[in-house]
Amino acid sequence: MLHITPNAAYSKYVKRWARVDDIVNGEARLKEIDLETLGESTYIRYLNPSDMSAANKAENRGYINGAVLFAATERTLSGLMGMMYRKQPKLPEFDGTLLEGLTVDVDGCGMTMGQQSQSVSAAICRNGRYGLLTDMPTAIADKTYTRLDVKNGHRPVIKEYSASSIIDWLDDGTLLVLCEQFEEFTDDSRIQREVRNRYLVYRLGIDGVTLQVFTDGNDGLAEGAETPITGANNLKLTRIPFSFVGSKNNKPSIDPIPLEPVSNPNLGHYKESANRAESSHKVAAIQPFASDDAFQQAAQSPDGITEIETGVGRMMVFGTGGSMGFASPPQNTTSRAMQEDYESQMVSSGAQIITPSGQAETAEAVKIKRASEASDLTIICANVSSAYIERIKDACLMVGMEYKDEYALVMNDEFFDSSMSADEALKQVQIWQGNAISTDVLHSNLKRGKFIYSDVDLVKMKEDINNESGAPLEFGD
């Protein structure tokens, strides 16, 4: 029976990607998985694994539900996205071209290119891997496309693929296997349906790029015909129209998972919270005890267990020498110490959590503490920009357009407020007056510090200054 074999590296990483995604998705997702796989070791360990009785399963459900997730991973992702999208990316300028609608509907389903770039960036922060595919309805042979063709839906789109859906590839770019899920009705009334997998197999050979689709069926995979993927005027493609996007580079190899150093101690913190809740439930309550033989015999239940009612409205009378007391367990500091250790690990790994002191930090102190994150984000932003440029180039090829620089999507790389104070600006001018920096460097620094508007042409500004300073002042009689 025909089946798709995943890449060896994919099989190694797929569970790690899923774990980070589950932790980002929160406590409800972690508990959903554990309760669905009750009896197996997923996130919260199963108590007494050899006991699969209903009573032990009920106890384990309570154990799982008692865990509380400290959402450091999700908050870190949110903070990183806030830094990346502190300024929106510069979108392509397609006005008057065959790709005019691509920025407002990039995937054919109404998502804008700016929104899609956020989805891509978040996925790279989570898993360190993502994919973008330029797709288009089958090209019309020997056809020069017009804006009417595009308006009627015959235009390129850019689709997203998660790390877990890119299941096989070759590093030389001659093979790519993507997995898509789709729903299919299973009855004529169109009420019942099931989710099935579809595998897109792209190959690059001497005759260009081809696509073959395999679909899950009752008897295994159904094999579709292998069809060529071409550009406008039946132009053969020289590469598969797909870009890997990574946390370090855009090569097919798998990059490090940026949020894993935060999510792993976050998961340990979550597990230990289940231990604390279970310990509190079982032994943290005050336990009354009494010593008197006659009282014990009177309070003993038919099943042999001694029961003593306590509280308001109850009076207990003991015989000679009898006594009663309350025992409370010592404070359990082990679990709390372990959780504090996990919290320290999360902080040192870059988790954006509120500091216990709640004291405000200077902007410069924040920049210093977040320097490594900013460095990683700079690489991610550059990789996202580069991937979109490649996808737009292939979109141009598919409609017969020549690529231009204004078609590029450029991600923001200013993650902190770079406003310059008046004193700092004065120091820059003084340094320039001392001939330590050139006029061009001074103007660039002032522009970066927002003393000059970002859209000002520095070359033209310099010419204007020269013209203003060079013209002699003229006075009338």
Side-chain angles (χ1 to χ4, degrees), residues 164-178:
S164 59
S165 63
I166 310 169
I167 65 171
D168 198 12
W169 62 91
L170 289 178
D171 290 344
D172 62 3
T174 59
L175 175 70
L176 175 69
V177 181
L178 305 173

Side-chain angles (χ1 to χ4, degrees), residues 353-380:
I353 57 178
I354 299 175
T355 56
S357 64
Q359 296 176 351
E361 294 181 289
T362 64
E364 194 61 31
V366 172
K367 292 180 184 179
I368 293 172
K369 290 175 65 175
R370 305 289 299 284
S372 62
E373 290 178 358
S375 176
D376 290 339
L377 291 185
T378 300
I379 296 172
I380 292 174

Side-chain angles (χ1 to χ4, degrees), residues 87 90 93 414 443-444 446-462 464:
K87 291 174 59 178
K90 176 187 174 296
E93 299 175 6
E414 295 180 9
H443 290 165
S444 296
L446 292 177
K447 188 173 184 179
R448 191 178 301 112
K450 299 182 180 178
F451 261 73
I452 301 175
Y453 290 127
S454 59
D455 57 351
V456 169
D457 186 334
L458 294 180
V459 175
K460 185 177 183 304
M461 186 188 76
K462 186 176 179 181
D464 292 341

Side-chain angles (χ1 to χ4, degrees), residues 143-441:
K143 169 72 175 180
T144 299
Y145 290 100
T146 66
R147 296 184 69 179
L148 180 61
D149 295 322
V150 173
K151 185 176 180 180
N152 291 333
H154 205 88
R155 69 172 183 87
V157 294
I158 299 176
K159 296 181 178 179
E160 306 171 67
Y161 288 88
S162 66
S164 59
S165 63
I166 310 169
I167 65 171
D168 198 12
W169 62 91
L170 289 178
D171 290 344
D172 62 3
T174 59
L175 175 70
L176 175 69
V177 181
L178 305 173
C179 179
E180 296 180 338
Q181 288 190 331
F182 68 99
E183 291 185 340
E184 186 175 67
F185 289 104
T186 59
D187 62 339
D188 295 336
S189 61
R190 298 175 66 84
I191 295 176
Q192 298 180 346
R193 49 186 166 183
E194 63 180 4
V195 178
R196 296 167 63 187
N197 289 332
R198 174 170 52 226
Y199 299 92
L200 311 181
V201 180
Y202 287 87
R203 301 182 181 93
L204 174 62
I206 57 175
D207 293 327
V209 177
T210 62
L211 169 64
Q212 188 173 15
V213 179
F214 296 82
T215 307
D216 275 342
N218 296 329
D219 300 322
L221 290 178
E223 184 175 352
E226 191 170 3
T227 58
I229 304 297
T230 60
N233 300 313
N234 210 29
L235 181 68
K236 292 181 181 179
L237 301 184
T238 58
R239 63 177 179 181
I240 296 173
F242 182 86
S243 290
F244 292 90
V245 196
S247 60
K248 296 301 180 185
N249 56 63
N250 288 354
K251 295 180 180 180
S253 55
I254 296 177
D255 286 350
I257 305 173
L259 277 184
E260 195 172 47
V262 179
S263 65
N264 284 342
N266 201 172
L267 181 59
H269 190 279
Y270 173 69
K271 291 179 178 180
E272 199 56 43
S273 73
N275 291 337
R276 291 189 69 189
E278 182 73 1
S279 174
S280 175
H281 173 69
K282 287 188 173 181
V283 300
I286 294 176
Q287 176 67 44
F289 64 89
S291 61
D292 183 84
D293 292 342
F295 186 78
Q296 180 180 2
Q297 292 174 5
Q300 190 164 347
S301 62
D303 58 3
I305 300 176
T306 299
E307 296 179 345
I308 302 175
E309 294 186 10
T310 60
V312 178
R314 304 293 178 187
M315 182 176 70
M316 292 171 285
V317 181
F318 297 91
T320 303
S323 64
M324 181 177 179
F326 291 90
S328 64
Q331 183 179 4
N332 182 4
T333 59
T334 302
S335 289
R336 182 59 217 162
M338 291 181 66
Q339 287 192 301
E340 289 174 350
D341 183 54
Y342 285 131
E343 290 169 13
S344 298
Q345 292 180 47
M346 286 186 277
V347 172
S348 63
S349 298
Q352 296 184 34
I353 57 178
I354 299 175
T355 56
S357 64
Q359 296 176 351
E361 294 181 289
T362 64
E364 194 61 31
V366 172
K367 292 180 184 179
I368 293 172
K369 290 175 65 175
R370 305 289 299 284
S372 62
E373 290 178 358
S375 176
D376 290 339
L377 291 185
T378 300
I379 296 172
I380 292 174
C381 286
N383 291 345
V384 172
S385 296
S386 176
Y388 269 103
I389 289 173
E390 296 305 310
R391 293 305 90 240
I392 292 169
K393 284 181 178 179
D394 281 347
C396 289
L397 190 65
M398 290 179 178
V399 295
M401 284 174 50
E402 181 181 354
Y403 177 80
K404 298 180 180 179
D405 291 341
E406 57 261 35
Y407 299 160
L409 180 146
V410 181
M411 293 286 292
N412 165 55
D413 59 1
E414 295 180 9
F415 307 127
F416 302 102
D417 185 4
S418 57
S419 297
M420 189 181 291
S421 67
D423 288 340
E424 290 171 332
L426 179 59
K427 289 178 182 178
Q428 288 289 320
V429 174
Q430 291 171 341
I431 294 172
W432 167 74
Q433 289 174 333
N435 295 322
I437 59 175
S438 67
T439 303
D440 289 340
V441 171

